[in-house]
Amino acid sequence: MDMLIQISIAVIAFAFVILLYSLVQTLKILRAGLDEMRLTISQLRTDVTQIAFDVKEAVHNTNAMTLDVRTKLNSLDVLFTSVNDIGHTIHTFTGAAKESAASLVSSIKSGSGKPARDNGIINTIYDGVVSSIRIWNKIKKI
């Protein structure tokens, strides 16, 4: 019986040693995994810092570009206003020319041979000339 107890103790001791060896190997694998995870997290921190810097720079460039586009659009507003004024002036000249032609035709038909003078036509032509000068000055400023 004494021998049986000694053999049992030896088997138990051997099993305990195998269990400890397996536990040590598992802990080594876990430690290697943790070290790799630390390295990955460190690289991620570096990459995130670089990405954050790049994003800030992109936002800054976008803001600068937006400001530039707004400035250019504002200068185009002046141009379109001038084009609008030119359109109104041409419309005024066209109206004045139609009125003059109608007046000339009516005076020729009436037989007087002398076109009827109307202050409205003169005022329209005067307004057209003043508008043209104003538009020309705006165009020179651009």
Side-chain angles (χ1 to χ4, degrees), residues 6-77:
Q6 287 177 358
I7 292 175
S8 297
I9 291 175
V11 169
I12 291 172
F14 184 71
F16 186 70
V17 168
I18 290 175
L19 179 66
L20 283 178
Y21 178 77
S22 298
L23 186 62
V24 167
Q25 292 302 322
T26 304
L27 290 175
K28 284 181 180 179
I29 290 171
L30 287 174
R31 182 176 181 116
L34 286 174
D35 288 341
E36 188 175 335
M37 205 180 314
R38 281 188 190 125
L39 180 64
T40 303
I41 289 173
S42 173
Q43 288 175 347
L44 281 175
R45 283 183 183 154
T46 304
D47 292 345
V48 165
T49 303
Q50 181 63 36
I51 289 170
F53 177 76
D54 291 343
V55 166
K56 285 179 185 177
E57 188 174 328
V59 167
H60 178 71
N61 289 339
T62 303
N63 288 340
M65 194 180 333
T66 302
L67 182 63
D68 185 44
V69 167
R70 282 184 185 161
T71 304
K72 288 178 181 174
L73 284 175
N74 286 338
S75 67
L76 283 177
D77 284 343

Side-chain angles (χ1 to χ4, degrees), residues 47 89 95 116-117 134 137:
D47 292 345
T89 303
R117 300 271 174 174
R134 190 178 324 124
N137 286 334

